[in-house]
Amino acid sequence: MALKEIIKGTGIVAGAYAVGAALGKAAKEKKIEELPTGLNQVAGLVKVNLDLGDDYGNGAALTPPMGWSSWNTFKNRINESLILEVADAMEKSGLAGAGYNHVNIDDCWQSAQRDANGRLQADFVTFPGGIASLAQRVNAKGLRLGIYSSNGTLTCQDLPASLGNEDIDARTFAEWGVEYFKYDFCNHKILPLRGPCIEKIAVGALGSGAEDVYEAEDAVLEGNAAIVDYDRLETGKYIAGLGYGGGAAVFPQVIAEEDGPHALTICIRKKSHSEKFAVVEVNGEFACDTIFPPTWAVVTKEGRHQVTVNLKRGVNSIKIYNPLASRFDSSAYQYARMGKALQKATKEYSGAAGVPEKKITYSICEWGFNLSWKWGRKAGNLWRTTLDIAPRWASILAIYEINVRLWKYAGPGGWNDPDMLEVGNGGLNYEENKAHFSLWCMMAAPLILGNDVRQFLKADGTPDTENTAYRIVTNKAMIAIDQDPLGAQCRRIETNGVQDTLVKPLAGGEAAICFFNKASESRPFQLRLGAVAAKDFVDLPFAESYEITDLWSGVSQTVGDAISCNVAPHGVRVFRVKAN
Ligand code: GLA
């Protein structure tokens, strides 16, 4: 789908955009190592099969997170002093008081070298005091520090990232006292969708040097799993059909002499040069996951693939399966894995250090390539729905056109993320800046400022209330729309392609109405409030008259059933409506 068509606001479904246009050129730029190639993966293009269970539910981000991020303005030119100056400006300018409480360091804070224990380290020169001390200094200003990594082998700026290091990195961030974590998608690797061919498993207490063997026929097979005869293996059989979320092998009678760690050796038939993936559950609980390397079966036909699992004394059940049927599943799985690691790490750190738990708001940044809105709520607190924003009107509009359609996925604890704000940056004029901010508030989007907020202070250290970007982002009535406790994203109730009418239900039976004019000349808008009250997703009562407040002029008035107004080019008018 051409960007032009998105900008024109003509029919495009977000999913099609995400898996189509975005995957092409952008994917190459973002260096995703593996894109769908095989037939099964192509078939999986429209499927999210994985059941991640309950919502993320870490108790953070009950309203959309607010704060600042270093990326949009500073990119790789960041350092400790800048972050402290920004935190200071946020405190003194009143941004913190208005709700912007996260100070997020984006990419480029890391040294290329992990420490001797494999922990990430901040750049020794640009962040000489390290992240833990920076977090404390930011906390002292009443603000919370955020940090960044990628769900890949390297970040987008080629620095060390967290794929394969989820647990240690989550523990490190928890120890540092970080309270926001953005997890990018560069250099990501899709997990194998194939499953291992299992001849048998062998289980033995660690250190015993002995193991008991359970053959293919000892397993209860689920789904597509089936026993295949193969006389070049010692037992003459193996279990196939464990790939693509289609089947499982359950060994229900695994005996352990004692409670404790055991070696579980999955004896496989070496087959094909592809990697395989499996999850191991013990007694109905996740125990571990493991990637089987590509095999070379010329000399030996069978291989031992070993993991350790905890067993209880007596009879145990061990289930082995690959739950991933598509690359969507793979992304959901990997983002959820990091989310679980973060929750575990903050709890454990708080217990060990005897300090209150600092919950980490978990920001999934996979650009919507794998339909993040479908699984994001179960994996984290917010999920990017598009590629990167730029401080240009075309970018704001393109992102809005995708994100506005995703209203049903947003709600307390989990938000569509149309990317950080560009208010005050680049070539956006006053109306465009105001429209950008208003649309983000209507869409219950995270409000993460991306400008140089130090410019919001005058030389004497007081807020520059004449600064237009400052006036826009500190409009308390508009922020209240974004932060409304109901947590509903607006719905577009009318559009002719260039004029959109958006309605956002608010707590207490109120509603916000936004008239958005994409045209390059002023346009008139009319709306019957009775038509809004009639919508089943709005609790606004039918009434003889309504009080409407224009959230940019601050003017309130009482009207009957009709609202009409003119809207400037690339502009909005936003009203808060209450029945009298
Ligand atoms: C990606 C993300 C951006 C930013 C950069 C950092 O492009 O989408 O928001 O974090 O990486 O390298």
Side-chain angles (χ1 to χ4, degrees):
M1 179 67 65
L3 187 62
K4 217 165 61 188
E5 287 176 59
I6 306 169
I7 293 166
K8 274 166 41 195
T10 50
I12 167 182
V13 293
Y17 171 75
V19 300
L23 269 178
K25 178 172 167 284
K28 276 185 212 135
E29 285 167 4
K30 296 290 183 186
K31 304 180 228 160
I32 296 181
E33 287 184 9
E34 203 181 322
L35 287 170
T37 47
L39 266 185
N40 279 303
Q41 284 171 303
V42 173
L45 272 176
V46 289
K47 279 195 253 154
V48 180
N49 301 288
L50 189 65
D51 179 9
L52 289 178
D54 296 336
D55 285 359
Y56 190 53
N58 62 340
L62 296 180
T63 58
M66 293 176 66
W68 173 88
S69 156
S70 56
W71 184 253
N72 287 1
T73 294
F74 297 98
K75 307 272 186 300
N76 58 345
R77 303 176 305 278
I78 58 171
N79 58 56
E80 198 172 292
S81 323
L82 170 77
I83 302 300
L84 287 168
E85 284 169 23
V86 162
D88 200 47
M90 289 177 75
E91 186 191 18
K92 296 199 173 115
S93 65
L95 283 174
Y100 295 94
N101 57 6
H102 291 285
V103 179
N104 296 341
I105 313 175
D106 207 280
D107 207 347
C108 300
W109 61 270
Q110 316 87 330
S111 167
Q113 187 181 293
R114 286 178 179 264
D115 75 7
N117 298 316
R119 288 159 56 106
L120 285 168
Q121 309 183 92
D123 187 302
F124 300 113
V125 176
T126 53
F127 288 86
I131 303 299
S133 106
L134 186 55
Q136 282 169 15
R137 294 167 78 183
V138 167
N139 292 164
K141 297 179 189 300
L143 294 158
R144 305 171 185 173
L145 192 71
I147 204 97
Y148 161 101
S149 187
S150 185
N151 191 345
T153 48
L154 292 170
T155 71
C156 299
Q157 304 303 313
D158 316 310
L159 287 157
S162 300
L163 187 64
N165 288 296
E166 291 86 356
D167 292 328
I168 189 168
D169 290 356
R171 285 201 301 273
T172 306
F173 300 146
E175 277 175 45
W176 286 347
V178 159
E179 293 173 84
Y180 191 105
F181 175 62
K182 172 171 165 185
Y183 203 30
D184 216 331
F185 198 54
C186 280
N187 301 300
H188 181 69
K189 274 188 73 137
I190 290 167
L191 287 167
L193 303 181
R194 294 169 188 249
C197 296
I198 302 178
E199 185 200 4
K200 59 193 177 188
I201 63 168
V203 180
L206 281 192
S208 70
E211 59 185 14
D212 295 324
V213 171
Y214 303 88
E215 295 190 2
E217 285 181 336
D218 296 324
V220 176
L221 303 182
E222 294 177 0
N224 297 339
I227 292 185
V228 175
D229 291 328
Y230 183 60
D231 60 13
R232 298 179 73 180
L233 292 174
E234 190 194 320
T235 65
K237 293 183 192 323
Y238 67 88
I239 302 167
L242 300 184
Y244 301 97
V250 184
F251 294 88
Q253 299 282 344
V254 175
I255 312 291
E257 297 293 333
E258 299 298 339
D259 288 343
H262 286 66
L264 164 66
T265 306
I266 304 172
C267 303
I268 54 163
R269 175 196 163 183
K270 291 184 177 176
K271 191 162 183 283
S272 89
H273 291 289
S274 61
E275 287 186 327
K276 321 279 191 303
F277 176 73
V279 167
V280 177
E281 278 177 18
V282 174
N283 302 322
E285 298 282 326
F286 174 86
C288 66
D289 57 26
T290 182
I291 294 178
F292 300 71
T295 55
W296 191 62
V298 173
V299 181
T300 60
K301 299 293 173 199
E302 67 287 300
R304 284 169 65 82
H305 186 83
Q306 204 163 65
V307 294
T308 56
V309 292
N310 275 318
L311 299 183
K312 65 174 170 37
R313 184 166 189 272
V315 180
N316 295 266
S317 165
I318 295 182
K319 177 172 174 175
I320 303 170
Y321 66 115
N322 182 346
L324 312 176
S326 66
R327 63 186 183 81
F328 301 96
D329 286 350
S330 168
S331 274
Y333 185 89
Q334 287 180 309
Y335 275 96
R337 176 160 65 185
M338 185 46 142
K340 285 179 196 149
L342 292 169
Q343 286 203 42
K344 183 163 180 263
T346 56
K347 277 198 189 73
E348 283 180 2
Y349 180 69
S350 131
V355 293
E357 183 182 1
K358 276 185 170 175
K359 293 180 191 302
I360 296 180
T361 296
Y362 177 29
S363 157
I364 293 167
C365 177
E366 67 78 69
W367 321 314
F369 277 23
N370 291 291
L371 310 180
S372 49
W373 45 88
K374 295 209 168 196
W375 45 262
R377 171 171 293 284
K378 290 170 185 283
N381 297 116
L382 57 152
W383 47 90
R384 276 275 295 278
T385 54
T386 68
L387 284 168
D388 292 9
I389 199 165
R392 287 191 300 274
W393 183 240
S395 166
I396 307 298
L397 207 47
I399 287 179
Y400 158 77
E401 290 294 348
I402 293 166
N403 200 72
V404 73
R405 293 169 158 83
L406 301 174
W407 52 265
K408 74 173 174 197
Y409 301 103
W415 310 98
N416 291 314
D417 177 7
D419 206 356
M420 302 168 297
L421 293 163
E422 292 283 18
V423 178
N425 289 344
L428 300 173
N429 66 31
Y430 175 63
E431 288 301 329
E432 292 169 344
N433 271 317
K434 225 170 55 174
H436 169 29
F437 189 70
S438 304
L439 294 170
W440 264 233
C441 291
M442 290 295 292
M443 294 191 294
L447 299 179
I448 307 294
L449 304 168
N451 63 317
D452 183 354
V453 294
R454 295 174 304 178
Q455 292 169 355
F456 287 171
L457 287 184
K458 292 194 288 197
D460 66 1
T462 58
D464 182 1
T465 50
E466 297 306 309
N467 181 306
T468 48
Y470 176 80
R471 291 170 77 95
I472 290 172
V473 303
T474 54
N475 178 334
K476 294 212 165 99
M478 212 53 245
I479 293 173
I481 299 300
D482 181 76
Q483 296 291 303
D484 184 79
L486 202 58
Q489 177 169 329
C490 68
R491 299 197 203 179
R492 177 158 56 188
I493 61 161
E494 279 176 20
T495 181
N496 61 10
V498 288
Q499 289 177 255
D500 289 0
T501 300
L502 309 171
V503 174
K504 184 182 196 288
L506 302 175
E510 298 188 20
I513 293 173
C514 172
F515 299 118
F516 175 31
N517 177 17
K518 300 172 214 170
S520 38
E521 69 284 331
S522 280
R523 290 281 177 107
F525 282 74
Q526 292 91 32
L527 182 68
R528 283 190 41 248
L529 291 171
V532 175
K535 301 278 176 202
D536 59 3
F537 69 93
V538 186
D539 277 343
L540 184 73
F542 286 98
E544 300 268 300
S545 69
Y546 295 88
E547 186 186 320
I548 64 169
T549 306
D550 179 327
L551 299 185
W552 286 108
S553 70
V555 174
S556 294
Q557 56 176 314
T558 298
V559 296
D561 186 44
I563 308 190
S564 61
C565 62
N566 278 322
V567 182
H570 298 183
V572 290
R573 295 285 294 275
V574 187
F575 297 93
R576 187 174 184 119
V577 183
K578 187 175 162 183
N580 277 328

